[in-house]
C-alpha cells in the first residue's frame, strides 16, 4: 500500500501549534475587530521582566482551558469562529444533499457529514461494515499472503509498518519519486516506547488498557485480548527501536538514500516492493528514495520473523483504531480515554466538531470551496500580497546588510528570496473529486473510500510534471507553511483574519500579527533545514564553508537559549528539535519589524491607547501567542513538536531584539534583555 493515509512531507515547516491542534470548543470570545485588546494586559507584570505575561496575563487568568481541549489560545479562538461558519455550511450541505446533483461536491460534502453525524445508524450497524475488512486480515495465512495484502491499495489496515508516498525528489525537485520511511507506531513518538521514566510507563500502561479493551470489543476473551495486546506492543516497540529520533530526522541528507528498485528489493526482500509498486500502478518506477534504510531493513526482517498471527493483531488494531469515529460509541470512548493520558483533556469534543475536522480531512478542497465562497474577502488577499512584498524587500535589505555572509552566499540567498512562490487563500485549481463516491449509507465506507481516493490522487502525480497548484493545507486552516522543494510560502484563508490580520487594525498590529507569520515562513527558507535547499527547491549546498560555519555558530547560540527554557518543572525545551521554528520566529519577527518601520504609521510615531507604534507592534505579536496548555499537553509538545511552547515563542525572540528593548525602555539586567554577548542576531 503506497501512501498511508496522510503522507505529508516531513519537511513541511508550519507555523502553528503542531500535532495537538484540536480545534475549538465552547469558548469565551474576546473582543473582535480591534487590534490589541488592552484588557488582556496584566499591568502588574513589567514588560521588561516577562513580556508574555505582561501582554496577555489577564487573558491567561480569565480564559481557563475548555474541558474538551488540551490547550486554548488565539489560534483556537479563531478556529472556533471559523467553525461556526463551517458548521452552518455543513448543516446546509447535509440538508440539501439529496437535491444536489449526484456526484457533485455539494452532495459528497453533505452526505459525508450526514453519515458521520448519524450516530444512531452507526450504533445500529455495529461492526457490519468493518467486518469484511477484518475478515480479509483474518484470512492471511503466510508471508506471501501478508505481502499481497499490504500491496493492495484497496486493503485497509490503517498506517502500518512504514510510511510511503509519491512526492518531489528533494535532489531533483522537477520530478516526483516514490519515497518510503519509518512509521507504523501508535504512540506519538519512539521515545514513548523506550523511555523508563514514570510518565512513559504510565502511558504504556494506559495504551495496554486501550489495546485490551479494543480487542475485547472485537470479541476476544480476556486472555486472548491480553496476549494480542502484548503482541501489538512488542511489534511497535521493535519498530520504535529501529526508528530515528525526531532530531535525527531533521537532517535532510541523512534521511535521503536513493536506490534502484533492484537494490531496494535486495535490501528489503520481505517487503516485496515490486509487487507493492505494481499493485499501486507504480510499476514504471525504477528507483525509490528511502528515508531510513536501517528501519526498512528491520521491517523486512520483522515480516519474516514475527509470527503471522501476531502481525495480524497488529493490522487488526491499526485498522480499528483508525476508524473509531465510524464504529459504535464504545470504541471512540475507549480511544478518547487513552488520549486523555496524553493530552489531559477532560471531555471529548462534541461529535459535530470531530466530524467537521474529518470532513476537512477527507474532502478538504470541496468543503474549502464552499467556505471560501462564504468567508474569504479579496481585500484580505490583496493586503497579504502587499505585506509579503514589503517583507521581501525588507528581507533583501537585511541579507545585503549582514556582516557575516560572503558576497557569493548573499547572491544565492537573494536569488532564493526572489524566487519564493507565494500562495494566498485557496488553490487556483481545485482538486477533482469526481472519482470519489460518497453516500449516506455508511460513514465507515465513506471514510475508507476517501482514503483510497487520497492515495490514488497522490500516486497519480508520478511521472507527470510537478503540480505547482497543489496545496498542503485546506482553505479554512488557521496555519501557514513553507515547503522547501517547492520554495513556496503558503497562507490559507483561515489565517488571514483577526487577530492575525484585521483590515480595521493599524499597521503595527497587522505587521506584528500576519507580518510576523509571513516573516516566519520566509525565514524557514533560511533556517537550519531550509537553507540547505536552493532557489529551485533542490537539496544542494550553496553556502561557502565559512558562511555555513558562521551560520551554525549563530544557530547554536539560539539552540542553547531554548535548551534552558523550562515550561514545567524539570522539563526543558529541546533546542535541537525546535531549532528551525525558533530561527523562523526570531528571523520572522526581525524582518516584519524592519518592514513595519517603513510604514507611514511608524514614521508618524503617534501613540494609540497610550502605546507607541513600536510598542503596538510587539504587543500585537505577543497577544497572538496567548495560550494556556494542560501540563500533559505541554509535555507532549516538548517531546514531539518542533514548535516551542507559546510563552517561549513570545519571549524567546524578543530577548534577542534591541528593537524591543528600545521600544519598552528595558534596562541592563532586566529579564527580557539578554546580555549583549549572549544574544543571537542572524538577519
Ligand atoms: Zn514554522
Amino acid at each position: 500500500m503506497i501512501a498511508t493515509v496522510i503522507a505529508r512531507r516531513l519537511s513541511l515547516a508550519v507555523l502553528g501549534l503542531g500535532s495537538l491542534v484540536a480545534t475549538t470548543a465552547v469558548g469565551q470570545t474576546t473582543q473582535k475587530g480591534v487590534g490589541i485588546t488592552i484588557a488582556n494586559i496584566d499591568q502588574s507584570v513589567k514588560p521588561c521582566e516577562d513580556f508574555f505575561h505582561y501582554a496577555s496575563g489577564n487573558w491567561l487568568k480569565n480564559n481557563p482551558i475548555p474541558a474538551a481541549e488540551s490547550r486554548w489560545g488565539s489560534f483556537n479562538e479563531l478556529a472556533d469562529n471559523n467553525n461556526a461558519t463551517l458548521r452552518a455550511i455543513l448543516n446546509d450541505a447535509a440538508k440539501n444533499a439529496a437535491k444536489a446533483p449526484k456526484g457533485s461536491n455539494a452532495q459528497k460534502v453533505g452526505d459525508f457529514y450526514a453519515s458521520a453525524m448519524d450516530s444512531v445508524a452507526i450504533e445500529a450497524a455495529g461492526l457490519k461494515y468493518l467486518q469484511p475488512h477484518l475478515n480479509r486480515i483474518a484470512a492471511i495465512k503466510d508471508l506471501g499472503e501478508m505481502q499481497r495484502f499490504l500491496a493492495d491499495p484497496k486493503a485497509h489496515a490503517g498506517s502500518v509498518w512504514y510510511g510511503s508516498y509519491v512526492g518531489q525528489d528533494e535532489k531533483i525537485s522537477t520530478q516526483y519519486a516514490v519515497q518510503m520511511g519509518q512509521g507504523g507506531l501508535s504512540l506519538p513518538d519512539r521515545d514513548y516506547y523506550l523511555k523508563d521514566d514514570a510518565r512513559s510507563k504510565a502511558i504504556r500502561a494506559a495504551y495496554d488498557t486501550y489495546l485490551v479493551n479494543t480487542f475485547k470489543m472485537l470479541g476476544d476473551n480476556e486472555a486472548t485480548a491480553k496476549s494480542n495486546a502484548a503482541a501489538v506492543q512488542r511489534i511497535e516497540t521493535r519498530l520504535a527501536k529501529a526508528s530515528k529520533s525526531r532530531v535525527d530526522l531533521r537532517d535532510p541528507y541523512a534521511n535521503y538514500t536513493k536506490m534502484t528498485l533492484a537494490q531496494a528489493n535486495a535490501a528489503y526482500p520481505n517487503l516485496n516492493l515490486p509487487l507493492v509498486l505494481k499493485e499501486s500502478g507504480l510499476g514504471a518506477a525504477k528507483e525509490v528514495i528511502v528515508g531510513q534504510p536501517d528501519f526498512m531493513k528491520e521491517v523486512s526482517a520483522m515480516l519474516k520473523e514475527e509470527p503471522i498471527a501476531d502481525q495480524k493483531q497488529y493490522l487488526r488494531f491499526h485498522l480499528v483504531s483508525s476508524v473509531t469515529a465510524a464504529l459504535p460509541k464504545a470504541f471512540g470512548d475507549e480511544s478518547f480515554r487513552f488520549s486523555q493520558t496524553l493530552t489531559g483533556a477532560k471531555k471529548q469534543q462534541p461529535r459535530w466538531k470531530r466530524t467537521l475536522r474529518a470532513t476537512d480531512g477527507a474532502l478538504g478542497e470541496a468543503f474549502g470551496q464552499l467556505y471560501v465562497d462564504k468567508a474569504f474577502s479579496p481585500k484580505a488577499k490583496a493586503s497579504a500580497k502587499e505585506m509579503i512584498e514589503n517583507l521581501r524587500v525588507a528581507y533583501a535589505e537585511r541579507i545585503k546588510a549582514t556582516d557575516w555572509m560572503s558576497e557569493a552566499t548573499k547572491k544565492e540567498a537573494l536569488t532564493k528570496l526572489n524566487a519564493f512562490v507565494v500562495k494566498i487563500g485557496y488553490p487556483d485549481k481545485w482538486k477533482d473529486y469526481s472519482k470519489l463516491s460518497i453516500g449516506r449509507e455508511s460513514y465507515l465506507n465513506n471514510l475508507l473510500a476517501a482514503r483510497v481516493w487520497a492515495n490514488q490522487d497522490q500516486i497519480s502525480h508520478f511521472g507527470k510534471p510537478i503540480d505547482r497548484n497543489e496545496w498542503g493545507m485546506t482553505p479554512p486552516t488557521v496555519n501557514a507553511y513553507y515547503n522547501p522543494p517547492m520554495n513556496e510560502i503558503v497562507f490559507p484563508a483561515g489565517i488571514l483574519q483577526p487577530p492575525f490580520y484585521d483590515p480595521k487594525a493599524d499597521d503595527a498590529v497587522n505587521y506584528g500579527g500576519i507580518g510576523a507569520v509571513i516573516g516566519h515562513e520566509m525565514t524557514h527558507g533560511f533556517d537550519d533545514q531550509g537553507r540547505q535547499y536552493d532557489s529551485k527547491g533542490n537539496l544542494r549546498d550553496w553556502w561557502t564553508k565559512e558562511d555555513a560555519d558562521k551560520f551554525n555558530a549563530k544557530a547554536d547560540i539560539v539552540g542553547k537559549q531554548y535548551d534552558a527554557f523550562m515550561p514545567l518543572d524539570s522539563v526543558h525545551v529541546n533546542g535541537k528539535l525546535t531549532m528551525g521554528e525558533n530561527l523562523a520566529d526570531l528571523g520572522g519577527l526581525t524582518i516584519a519589524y524592519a518592514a513595519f518601520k517603513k510604514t507611514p504609521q511608524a514614521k508618524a510615531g503617534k501613540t494609540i491607547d497610550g502605546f507607541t507604534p513600536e510598542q503596538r507592534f510587539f504587543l500585537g505579536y505577543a497577544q497572538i501567542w496567548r495560550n494556556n496548555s494542560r501540563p500533559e499537553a505541554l509535555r507532549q509538545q516538548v517531546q514531539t513538536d518542533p514548535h516551542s511552547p507559546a510563552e517561549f515563542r513570545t519571549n524567546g525572540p524578543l530577548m534577542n531584539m534591541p528593537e524591543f528593548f528600545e521600544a519598552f525602555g528595558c534596562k541592563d539586567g532586566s529579564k527580557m534583555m539578554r546580555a549583549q554577548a549572549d544574544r543571537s542576531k542572524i538577519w
Side-chain angles (χ1 to χ4, degrees):
M1 186 168 33
I2 280 287
T4 45
V5 192
I6 303 156
R8 183 167 286 174
R9 327 184 51 83
L10 281 171
S11 51
L12 217 58
V14 304
L15 167 78
L17 289 165
S19 52
L20 283 176
V21 181
T23 43
T24 72
V26 207
Q28 293 80 354
T29 51
T30 46
Q31 216 174 337
K32 281 189 230 67
V34 294
I36 289 161
T37 308
I38 303 296
N40 289 352
I41 296 174
D42 181 351
Q43 300 286 358
S44 74
V45 179
K46 292 193 175 64
C48 296
E49 290 299 304
D50 181 349
F51 198 68
F52 176 73
H53 284 95
Y54 165 75
S56 304
N58 283 349
W59 184 94
L60 296 171
K61 277 181 253 177
N62 296 329
N63 289 274
I65 302 163
E69 302 296 328
S70 55
R71 46 188 171 184
W72 193 251
S74 71
F75 281 68
N76 307 82
E77 288 181 319
L78 172 48
D80 215 24
N81 292 335
N82 256 356
N83 278 356
T85 309
L86 292 165
R87 188 185 189 188
I89 290 170
L90 289 173
N91 281 333
D92 275 358
K95 212 179 325 153
N96 299 326
K99 282 177 269 164
K102 196 164 166 25
S104 65
N105 282 347
Q107 175 263 315
K108 286 171 193 173
V109 170
D111 280 343
F112 187 92
Y113 185 71
S115 70
M117 288 303 289
D118 193 348
S119 53
V120 174
I122 290 171
E123 209 63 40
L127 297 179
K128 178 180 158 191
Y129 297 101
L130 185 68
Q131 201 57 53
H133 304 286
L134 291 170
N135 292 347
R136 272 201 72 178
I137 293 172
I140 298 169
K141 285 193 200 62
D142 54 27
L143 177 59
E145 289 183 13
M146 178 61 80
Q147 289 170 341
R148 278 194 290 283
F149 177 85
L150 294 172
D152 181 352
K154 293 202 164 69
H156 290 285
S159 308
V160 289
W161 295 119
Y162 61 95
S164 58
Y165 63 99
V166 169
Q168 265 171 295
D169 181 338
E170 302 216 330
K171 291 188 180 174
I172 313 173
S173 67
T174 51
Q175 287 178 16
Y176 286 109
V178 177
Q179 326 223 8
M180 46 194 63
Q182 70 185 51
L185 302 180
S186 297
L187 299 180
D189 186 73
R190 71 190 286 275
D191 286 355
Y192 286 77
Y193 295 89
L194 308 178
K195 282 173 119 177
D196 267 328
D197 58 284
R199 177 156 169 81
S200 302
K201 282 183 182 162
I203 289 170
R204 285 199 293 276
Y207 181 42
D208 192 58
T209 304
Y210 175 32
L211 285 161
V212 170
N213 289 347
T214 298
F215 284 122
K216 279 183 1 198
M217 286 188 291
L218 290 173
D220 297 353
N221 66 32
E222 181 86 26
T224 309
K226 280 189 172 155
S227 75
N228 287 344
V232 175
Q233 288 250 27
R234 195 194 62 249
I235 286 174
E236 292 185 1
T237 303
R238 198 169 160 191
L239 290 173
K241 279 184 187 150
S243 299
K244 284 192 184 183
S245 73
R246 286 175 188 261
V247 169
D248 289 339
L249 289 174
R250 288 181 47 75
D251 179 344
Y253 286 100
N255 290 282
Y256 179 108
T257 302
K258 190 181 274 187
M259 299 181 181
T260 64
L261 183 55
Q263 285 168 335
N265 195 34
Y268 323 121
N270 302 319
L271 301 186
N272 201 345
L273 290 176
L275 182 70
V276 169
L277 294 174
K278 183 170 151 276
E279 291 298 311
S280 292
L282 292 165
K286 299 277 176 288
E287 295 169 327
V288 292
I289 296 170
V290 180
Q292 298 77 33
D294 291 344
F295 177 88
M296 298 304 289
K297 215 175 189 69
E298 183 71 351
V299 170
S300 181
M302 287 173 76
L303 281 163
K304 184 118 190 199
E305 293 165 13
E306 293 290 340
I308 289 289
D310 289 357
Q311 294 188 36
K312 283 156 65 171
Q313 299 311 321
Y314 169 67
L315 302 190
R316 189 172 168 230
F317 175 73
H318 274 252
L319 169 59
V320 172
S321 64
S322 75
V323 295
T324 54
L327 297 176
K329 183 169 175 297
F331 284 87
D333 288 349
E334 207 54 57
S335 164
F336 174 69
R337 239 192 309 280
F338 167 63
S339 75
Q340 282 183 294
T341 318
L342 297 170
T343 68
K346 301 289 180 234
K347 66 176 213 204
Q348 207 169 359
Q349 289 194 328
R351 185 168 199 97
W352 71 264
K353 264 180 200 164
R354 288 178 272 140
T355 303
L356 189 156
R357 221 168 42 242
T359 313
D360 182 58
L363 286 158
E365 292 195 8
F367 182 23
Q369 261 179 80
L370 302 173
Y371 169 78
V372 164
D373 289 347
K374 202 162 197 167
F376 188 53
S377 84
K379 183 170 181 346
K381 186 164 184 167
S383 299
K385 207 172 164 60
E386 187 185 325
M387 285 176 83
I388 289 165
E389 293 315 318
N390 291 347
L391 260 85
R392 204 194 301 249
V393 169
Y395 214 143
E397 288 169 2
R398 304 294 288 214
I399 290 171
K400 285 179 202 153
T402 55
D403 56 8
W404 57 274
M405 231 183 195
S406 68
E407 286 308 313
T409 308
K410 279 183 185 178
K411 194 165 165 263
E412 289 259 18
L414 289 166
T415 303
K416 178 167 183 178
L417 177 72
N418 288 325
F420 277 158
V421 171
V422 176
K423 291 178 177 172
I424 305 170
Y426 53 90
D428 291 335
K429 192 168 165 276
W430 297 100
K431 280 187 188 299
D432 174 7
Y433 292 95
S434 57
K435 286 191 184 135
L436 169 60
S437 101
I438 296 290
R440 203 168 277 220
E441 182 192 337
S442 159
Y443 180 41
L444 187 99
N445 287 353
N446 287 341
L447 261 189
L448 297 180
R451 284 184 195 173
V452 171
W453 179 87
N455 190 14
Q456 287 301 324
D457 177 59
Q458 191 200 125
I459 286 171
S460 70
H461 286 104
F462 187 77
K464 295 185 189 148
I466 300 298
D467 177 3
R468 299 197 178 269
N469 285 313
E470 202 173 33
W471 279 55
M473 284 180 184
T474 63
T477 308
V478 183
N479 213 330
Y481 66 90
Y482 170 70
N483 185 3
M486 290 280 205
N487 195 31
E488 64 180 6
I489 49 177
V490 185
F491 307 93
I495 201 167
L496 300 174
Q497 303 180 73
F500 294 90
Y501 166 74
D502 187 340
K504 294 193 283 294
D506 50 312
D507 279 339
V509 174
N510 283 331
Y511 274 85
I514 195 72
V517 171
I518 294 165
H520 175 101
E521 300 309 337
M522 285 182 164
T523 307
H524 271 313
F526 303 100
D527 73 16
D528 60 317
Q529 282 183 312
R531 75 172 189 85
Q532 303 184 66
Y533 299 79
D534 68 13
S535 63
K536 295 194 163 63
N538 286 312
L539 193 52
R540 173 180 74 84
D541 190 3
W542 48 270
W543 293 63
T544 67
K545 166 90 172 68
E546 203 188 358
D547 289 348
D549 288 347
K550 284 183 192 162
F551 177 92
N552 289 331
K554 287 172 178 292
D556 280 347
I557 295 174
V558 176
K560 289 200 179 74
Q561 290 179 358
Y562 281 76
D563 275 337
F565 289 139
M566 283 173 66
L568 293 165
D569 276 352
S570 78
V571 176
H572 284 260
V573 173
N574 181 341
K576 286 202 170 69
L577 175 62
T578 56
M579 176 69 83
E581 296 300 333
N582 299 334
L583 294 177
D585 282 341
L586 175 58
L589 194 60
T590 305
I591 302 305
Y593 186 85
F596 166 63
K597 286 296 274 182
K598 298 175 183 216
T599 63
Q601 182 192 8
K603 286 178 187 151
K606 269 199 350 218
T607 62
I608 302 175
D609 290 337
F611 292 106
T612 66
E614 289 76 15
Q615 288 173 334
R616 288 179 66 79
F617 171 90
F618 290 114
L619 275 169
Y621 177 73
Q623 290 200 341
I624 290 281
W625 289 110
R626 61 180 183 265
N627 179 76
N628 283 313
S629 286
R630 297 191 192 281
E632 295 89 344
L634 257 183
R635 273 177 197 275
Q636 187 180 339
Q637 180 176 7
V638 168
Q639 238 178 311
T640 61
D641 192 331
H643 303 88
S644 298
E647 178 178 350
F648 309 112
R649 295 192 72 170
T650 309
N651 288 349
L654 297 180
M655 291 167 79
N656 290 296
M657 288 180 68
E659 299 91 334
F660 168 76
F661 312 147
E662 195 186 315
F664 284 90
C666 300
K667 301 259 166 14
D668 280 336
S670 56
K671 283 210 186 90
M672 287 297 301
M673 190 169 167
R674 284 192 189 279
Q676 189 128 25
D678 302 331
R679 285 179 211 159
S680 176
K681 179 178 184 298
I682 301 180
W683 307 110

